[in-house]
Amino acid sequence: MALITRLLIPVLLLIPSSSFYLARSFRNSVPRNRNSVQSVVLCTTIQSTSLSEMESWLNKNNVPTTVAKHRETDTFRGLVLSTTTATTPNLQQSIITLPRSLTLSTTSASHWDSELATQLLNAVFLGSSSPLSGYVSLLTNGQYGSSSAPPPSLPLDSSGLPLSCSSSPLPQWTSPSSLRHWSASERSYLIECCGPVGERAVKSAIDQLQSWVKISGSDPTGILNTDDIKDNRTLWFVWAMEAVNSRAFRGVGGVENGRLVAAALIAQGLGLASGCVGVGFDEFSMVAGGGVAFFIGLGVNIFKGLRNPKEVLMLPYIDSANHDAESKNLIQYNPIKREFEFTWGDADSRQDEELFISYGDRSSVDLLINFGIIKGGKEGRESDRRIMAEMLAQMQ
């Protein structure tokens, strides 16, 4: 019994060291129904140069890219299982590992998106000197990032945004089909098709866009879609806010008590060794010390969880996975290695097939406003806005 106890405590010690991150703010799912297509993707075209720069950046930072590869078509980009993989991953196997140093994060509760947007804009205009140069290249379709020359300095305006926003050309939108980009006639058709639901969607999109413009310090009066924004600096801020709101992940506050966990494991190991080989250590004190370390670690986790219940992050590479509300793939955080892990959970996926992550049980209006996507549709990849409006009407 004592041996079992000594073996069990180190396992328990690992429990408080794991922190789960919820994809795109939610992680609820609905029962899988193979008779209807529930996969939806971000519809955008991506240049091969930005893909190669992203891959090169990941490899330079020792992030393996052999299992999950970026793929582009005329209408979408995403991640697929690489055909070069020797075997299909096992359940709960990590197929992507991303160091925390390659992420953007904030713990702000009320201004998380504007803080992340400001960080992203700084990374964009740092050019090739940015630690996130490859990620920036992917988001801007190669217009900025690894291949761009860094400025001698990064002057900021009174709001903390790069002055370069006022003059630099805007790259392609990260969610070009989202409702904030629809024309007046397209929105009228949406309302005609969907009635009150369409009206609510349009109003929500306008309110969101105007709030972003106001945060940037500009006057939101009369701005109904992004075409109404004439100030280049405001356009850049809205571009960054769109990228953040369509790609950021929210989860339980990260726990970084790796030293406590390691110390407890060492104490437990010494206690176990003393019982097995009789090296003279005081078994009881080792076991007790490990137990104390465990409860200290648990207390630290609880405290950090109460003080910082939600951290919001942008996770390069991982966030290239498109949405499937029924996906069992997960994102986990390993505090000892300081790495985020995309773990395998969709047992029915095969090599050369797309990898998904659930953004949660999002409403159709939410998906349309922030992602420009509709559940279902032709292979889940419909990008024609009139057809999207008709699809939304059929879902009511």
Side-chain angles (χ1 to χ4, degrees):
M1 185 65 182
L3 179 60
I4 294 176
T5 301
R6 287 195 295 272
L7 290 172
L8 181 60
I9 292 179
V11 175
L12 293 175
L13 284 168
L14 295 177
I15 294 176
S17 68
S18 297
S19 181
F20 297 85
Y21 278 78
L22 313 187
R24 261 66 168 201
S25 303
F26 299 92
R27 191 59 185 87
N28 298 324
S29 61
V30 296
R32 183 174 291 271
N33 179 5
R34 283 300 181 185
N35 295 324
S36 63
V37 179
Q38 292 293 330
S39 301
V40 287
V41 299
L42 302 180
C43 301
T44 183
T45 304
I46 184 171
Q47 297 179 359
S48 58
T49 54
S50 61
L51 280 178
S52 60
E53 287 182 350
M54 176 71 167
E55 298 284 340
S56 175
W57 172 74
L58 290 170
N59 292 330
K60 180 181 178 181
N61 286 279
N62 300 315
V63 178
T65 59
T66 55
V67 179
K69 288 288 186 180
H70 284 93
R71 171 176 290 181
E72 60 172 312
T73 69
D74 291 337
T75 56
F76 80 100
R77 71 173 177 227
L79 293 176
V80 296
L81 279 176
S82 174
T83 54
T84 60
T85 306
T87 58
T88 300
N90 299 316
L91 288 179
Q92 303 309 313
Q93 177 181 339
S94 175
I95 54 180
I96 296 176
T97 56
L98 181 74
R100 174 178 273 275
S101 59
L102 300 182
T103 68
L104 295 177
S105 67
T106 180
T107 57
S108 173
S110 57
H111 305 293
W112 63 268
D113 50 357
S114 60
E115 288 197 9
L116 282 180
T118 301
Q119 292 180 40
L120 178 59
L121 289 176
N122 276 268
V124 169
F125 291 107
L126 279 174
S128 56
S129 65
S130 168
L132 299 177
S133 59
Y135 184 53
V136 165
S137 179
L138 186 75
L139 295 185
T140 62
N141 262 11
Q143 192 166 343
Y144 300 89
S146 299
S147 60
S148 59
S153 62
L154 192 64
L156 307 177
D157 63 19
S158 59
S159 299
L161 301 180
L163 289 176
S164 303
C165 292
S166 298
S167 57
S168 299
L170 193 75
Q172 179 179 335
W173 295 97
T174 55
S175 297
S177 295
S178 60
L179 192 51
R180 68 183 64 90
H181 303 303
W182 287 30
S183 66
S185 61
E186 290 170 335
R187 293 183 176 192
S188 295
Y189 187 75
L190 177 68
I191 295 174
E192 177 186 334
C193 283
C194 304
V197 174
E199 292 178 357
R200 187 174 75 251
V202 170
K203 183 180 184 304
S204 297
I206 293 174
D207 289 346
Q208 183 192 59
L209 179 60
Q210 290 183 346
S211 71
W212 292 356
V213 172
K214 187 175 181 179
I215 292 172
S216 74
S218 298
D219 182 7
T221 303
I223 293 180
L224 304 180
N225 68 9
T226 50
D227 289 338
D228 295 329
I229 303 174
K230 306 306 178 185
D231 177 64
N232 201 64
R233 174 187 175 278
T234 304
L235 277 171
W236 263 108
F237 183 75
V238 171
W239 175 89
M241 290 289 276
E242 175 174 285
V244 166
N245 277 272
S246 64
R247 304 181 76 91
F249 294 81
R250 185 195 303 274
V252 179
V255 178
E256 304 269 337
N257 59 334
R259 292 182 179 178
L260 285 172
V261 174
L265 287 173
I266 291 172
Q268 287 296 303
L270 291 175
L272 179 61
S274 67
C276 292
V277 299
V279 294
F281 290 110
D282 184 345
E283 262 185 86
F284 177 79
S285 63
M286 293 300 175
V287 174
V292 169
F294 165 70
F295 285 108
I296 291 176
L298 181 61
V300 169
N301 278 335
I302 294 174
F303 174 75
K304 292 192 70 172
L306 293 174
R307 182 179 62 85
N308 173 25
K310 294 180 180 179
E311 183 179 21
V312 189
L313 305 102
M314 296 190 75
L315 304 178
Y317 192 16
I318 291 175
D319 67 11
S320 292
N322 288 308
H323 171 55
D324 181 351
E326 301 157 352
S327 174
K328 301 299 187 296
N329 295 330
L330 295 172
I331 300 173
Q332 296 176 288
Y333 180 60
N334 186 324
I336 297 179
K337 294 182 177 180
R338 293 179 59 82
E339 291 179 342
F340 292 91
E341 300 176 346
F342 183 103
T343 59
W344 175 266
D346 290 340
D348 53 351
S349 297
R350 298 290 182 269
Q351 290 180 5
D352 207 31
E353 290 185 359
E354 190 168 2
L355 291 165
F356 294 96
I357 190 75
S358 173
Y359 299 176
D361 191 14
R362 309 293 286 263
S363 71
S364 299
V365 170
D366 184 17
L367 289 172
L368 184 59
I369 291 173
N370 287 304
F371 304 95
I373 53 181
I374 296 288
K375 291 182 179 180
K378 182 180 179 182
E379 297 183 357
R381 294 183 171 89
E382 187 55 68
S383 59
D384 184 276
R385 294 175 182 178
R386 290 180 66 89
I387 296 177
M388 291 171 71
E390 293 167 358
M391 289 163 52
L392 181 59
Q394 295 172 2
M395 296 174 64
Q396 307 309 313

